[in-house]
């Protein structure tokens, strides 16, 4: 068994070799909690949930760290627009953090092992900045602003993650360029400005201020995973400048940093990138109202994680239909083998073809193809009354669905409202089926046909088998 992943730095698919056998340290850039989450945020978190689940299934002990950036230019700017409501920047950040958490929870995304906030690691950030100054790779601005910049010219490897020549890079726009030695130099520490709240500043050797964006992740990843860890993940849009700058400042400070870099694709809407200017952003709360959370999870997780998802009208309907095929088979098979000697048979192990797909850079589309093949084979086995095979295939389908986080029988998908409704539906349908069976046995075929027609009209499919009638909800 060898898990392979596409390393964005090497630009090739390579075998994953952990630093410590049997353990994985995975750092993922989490949200900057400046505004409500959109579907791209959900997709990114889901990608690394899938990586975590698969690595866990393969026997690795996974430590997943996903940070929260709760101090940032945009957070301060957005908070300043709510002064009339009296909302502080930290209150705005926390309010949006809760929205992100709610979206993750609704999709069944497992909580990270650690979820640090940037504001809790200021000391560690200052320590890295000082090391960079001591190593000759950073400098305090000479304009009295209190800013500290990374000296890109001092680090020959700068640009190695994205294969760029620093001379060709766009200027870093994260601070006033007057105090910089070169346009590409980026802010490690930002001196406090009179227009910013005093609560958004921390004392430092360079004066009161706050961290730059990039230094935050360098500090949090090393604090929770060590100076050298296995995998650094995040959205494709973070490769430059964020991840490029993280890599440069961490290695220039003397840390080995991440051994592998993994980036997930983005989400477009009708062929266009989501943006506020186009007015086509789809927020998580809106998206989760369009379909069941389980369907949304299936949709966002079905494409290969490095590909771009292009959302269009009808996409969730297609996902619903695909998911219902799995649900119908699991429902049919459970009803058929319940109270038989096959009920407790079947090992919850994924098929070899599924494992091969997941081992190959988390090829979820190919893995889902295996799952649906098993569903089709399972329905055929049901029709043939091969209950031993039904039990085997049911166990495999459940194992695959569990790994992908789409097991309809998992507790997180059973809401307080759906359980009573399901019990009521089951009771009514089975009572009508019993009445129909009595009508058939008494040769009252008119009544039997009428009951069947009523059930079909309500979306209930009836199958008459040698062992008795079985019903399911039509997809």
């Amino acid at each position: 068994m060898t898990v392979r992943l596409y390393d964005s730095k090497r630009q090739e698919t390579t075998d994953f070799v952990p630093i410590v056998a049997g353990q994985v340290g995975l750092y993922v850039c989490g949200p900057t909690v400046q505004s409500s989450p959109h579907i791209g945020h959900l997709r990114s978190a889901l990608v690394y949930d899938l990586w975590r689940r698969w690595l866990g299934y393969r026997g690795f002990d996974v430590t997943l760290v996903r940070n929260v950036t709760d101090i940032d230019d945009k957070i301060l700017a957005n908070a300043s627009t709510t002064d009339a409501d009296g909302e502080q920047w930290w209150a705005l950040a926390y309010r949006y953090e809760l929205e992100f958490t709610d979206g993750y929870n609704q999709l069944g995304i497992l909580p990270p092992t650690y979820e640090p906030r940037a504001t809790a690691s200021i000391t560690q950030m200052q320590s890295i900045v000082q090391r960079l100054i001591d190593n000759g790779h950073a400098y305090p601005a000479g304009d009295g602003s209190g800013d500290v910049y990374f000296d890109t010219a001092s680090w020959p490897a700068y640009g190695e993650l994205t294969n760029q020549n620093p001379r060709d890079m766009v200027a870093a726009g994260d601070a006033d360029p007057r105090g910089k030695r070169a346009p590409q130099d980026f802010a490690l520490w930002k001196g406090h400005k009179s227009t910013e709240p005093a609560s958004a500043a921390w004392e430092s050797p360079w004066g009161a201020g706050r961290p730059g964006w990039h230094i935050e992740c360098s500090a949090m990843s090393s604090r929770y995973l060590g100076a050298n860890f296995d995998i650094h993940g995040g959205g494709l849009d973070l490769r430059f400048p964020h991840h490029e700058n993280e890599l440069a400042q961490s290695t220039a400070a003397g840390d080995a940093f991440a051994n592998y870099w993994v980036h997930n694709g983005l989400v477009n809407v009708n062929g266009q990138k989501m943006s506020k200017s186009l007015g086509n952003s789809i927020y998580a709360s809106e998206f989760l109202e369009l379909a069941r959370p389980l369907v949304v999870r299936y949709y966002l997780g079905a494409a290969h994680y490095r590909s771009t998802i292009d959302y269009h009208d009808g996409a969730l309907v297609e996902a619903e239909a695909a998911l219902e095929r799995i649900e119908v088979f699991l429902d049919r098979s459970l009803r058929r083998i319940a109270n038989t000697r096959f009920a407790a048979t079947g090992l919850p192990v994924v098929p070899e073809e599924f494992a091969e797909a997941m081992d190959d850079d988390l090829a979820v589309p190919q893995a889902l193809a295996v799952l649906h093949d098993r569903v089709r084979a399972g329905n055929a086995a049901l029709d043939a009354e091969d209950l031993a095979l039904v039990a085997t295939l049911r166990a495999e389908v459940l194992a695959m669905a569990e790994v992908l986080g789409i097991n309809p029988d998992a507790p997180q998908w059973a809401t307080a409202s759906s359980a009573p409704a399901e019990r009521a539906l089951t009771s009514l349908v089975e009572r009508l089926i019993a009445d129909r069976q009595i009508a058939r046995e008494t040769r009252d075929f008119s009544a039997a046909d009428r009951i069947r027609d009523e059930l079909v009209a309500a979306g209930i499919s009836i199958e008459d088998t040698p062992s008795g009638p079985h019903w399911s909800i039509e997809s």
Side-chain angles (χ1 to χ4, degrees), residues 429 433 436 452 455-456 460-464 469-472 474:
V429 171
I433 288 176
R436 176 176 175 269
R452 182 187 184 96
L455 289 169
V456 170
I460 305 297
S461 175
I462 304 295
E463 286 186 86
D464 292 314
H470 303 294
W471 67 274
S472 61
E474 290 182 340

Side-chain angles (χ1 to χ4, degrees), residues 315-334:
L316 289 176
V317 174
E318 297 165 5
E320 176 83 51
L323 184 62
E324 281 188 353
R325 288 193 288 272
I326 300 170
E327 292 176 309
V328 168
F329 165 67
L330 291 175
D331 182 69
R332 287 185 66 205
S333 59
L334 176 62

Side-chain angles (χ1 to χ4, degrees), residues 66-79:
R66 186 184 66 220
N67 78 292
V68 175
T69 296
D70 62 340
I71 181 68
D72 177 81
D73 293 346
K74 294 179 180 177
I75 292 173
L76 297 181
N78 290 347

Side-chain angles (χ1 to χ4, degrees), residues 172-193:
D174 57 353
D176 192 320
R178 289 179 296 179
K180 295 184 179 185
R181 295 176 181 172
Q184 292 79 15
D185 294 354
F186 55 88
L188 300 169
W189 187 259
K190 298 185 175 186
H192 180 64
K193 298 178 177 60

Side-chain angles (χ1 to χ4, degrees), residues 261-323:
W261 290 82
V262 173
H263 291 94
N264 63 274
L266 308 181
V267 180
N268 291 346
V269 177
N270 294 318
Q272 293 182 311
K273 181 180 178 180
M274 281 193 297
S275 70
K276 291 183 179 179
S277 61
L278 292 175
N280 64 347
S281 295
I282 302 178
Y283 290 99
S285 58
E286 300 169 343
F287 203 59
L288 286 163
E289 292 179 354
L290 300 178
R292 292 180 292 154
L294 180 55
V295 173
V296 174
R297 180 182 176 105
Y298 184 98
Y299 170 69
L300 291 176
H304 192 278
Y305 78 91
R306 287 192 285 115
S307 67
T308 298
I309 294 178
D310 188 14
Y311 175 72
H312 59 275
D313 291 342
L316 289 176
V317 174
E318 297 165 5
E320 176 83 51
L323 184 62

